Amino acid sequence: DIIKFAGDALFAEWQVTDSKLIQFMELAAEEAVLNAATCASKIVEKCSDFPVYSEDRDSAPIATLNLHCGIGFGGVVGLHAGDMETRMEYLLLGGPIDQVTAANAIAGHGEVGASPEALRMLRKCTDFGPELQKRLTYANLDSNNAKSVVIAKKEHVFFKTRRTEHNMALALPESS
């Protein structure tokens, strides 16, 4: 769901609901991060370098729109602040907001960045290609000062879904 617009950005969430069965919570969290990564990868593939035309569609583009995405993982809280008479604002609070900001900052045009928290979940249900393996050495995921890395570019996704009974219906088609 798209839950917030902030200037020229938007925040979307893949919600993991509470469950009494912890093992299913973990699988749901993996699926949520996988779906977010897949969606972000498709967005940059389809929408990067998007031409903008004037009313005369036969002319050359007058501008090109570009974008990049950031992915985080964890709990967020949303609350309405203000009142209905003056101003009401929807606020999002939690670690993933800072994670997305950091991941987005390292992603250039047409790239998807992922926070260490998102990468830790993603590595449970995907295989990382050689280029992403190199990036993970830099990310130092198992340390306290882990870094965000780029996981996809417009022309290439650096991870591949592991086909399991739990995620057969999920995400990325096989790619070469």
Side-chain angles (χ1 to χ4, degrees):
D1 294 331
I2 295 175
I3 55 174
K4 172 100 174 135
F5 287 95
D8 63 352
L10 66 87
F11 282 90
E13 74 174 346
W14 280 259
Q15 195 171 53
V16 178
T17 58
D18 290 335
S19 170
K20 292 180 181 174
L21 300 172
I22 298 301
Q23 68 187 40
F24 292 120
M25 283 279 298
E26 182 75 12
L27 288 173
E30 290 172 23
E31 288 179 15
V33 173
L34 177 58
N35 285 337
T38 300
C39 181
S41 299
K42 289 294 182 185
I43 287 170
V44 298
E45 175 189 336
K46 302 285 185 195
C47 299
S48 291
D49 302 319
F50 190 83
V52 177
Y53 296 93
S54 65
E55 290 181 24
D56 178 13
R57 298 274 290 157
D58 294 331
S59 65
I62 59 171
T64 302
L65 299 180
N66 221 315
L67 58 87
H68 51 130
C69 297
I71 300 170
F73 171 74
V76 294
V77 174
L79 61 103
H80 288 97
D83 61 59
M84 299 298 281
E85 293 179 20
T86 55
R87 182 175 177 177
M88 179 74 75
E89 183 71 30
Y90 186 62
L91 302 175
L92 290 171
L93 308 168
I97 304 304
D98 292 336
Q99 294 171 32
V100 167
T101 301
N104 202 39
I106 60 103
H109 291 301
E111 295 182 338
V112 178
S115 71
E117 294 81 358
L119 286 163
R120 289 182 192 110
M121 292 305 290
L122 200 56
R123 75 177 169 187
K124 294 178 182 182
C125 59
T126 65
D127 292 318
F128 293 158
E131 186 163 342
L132 187 51
Q133 290 289 354
K134 288 180 203 168
R135 294 168 190 260
L136 290 177
T137 301
Y138 164 79
N140 203 8
L141 281 187
D142 297 320
S143 75
N144 290 335
N145 61 347
K147 296 173 178 57
S148 298
V149 297
V150 171
I151 62 168
K153 294 185 176 187
K154 177 181 179 173
E155 59 282 340
H156 189 71
V157 175
F158 303 125
F159 61 92
K160 185 173 166 184
T161 305
R162 265 189 231 121
R163 299 294 177 191
T164 68
E165 63 183 77
H166 299 292
N167 67 12
M168 291 275 301
L170 294 177
L172 293 174
E174 300 292 325
S175 62
S176 55

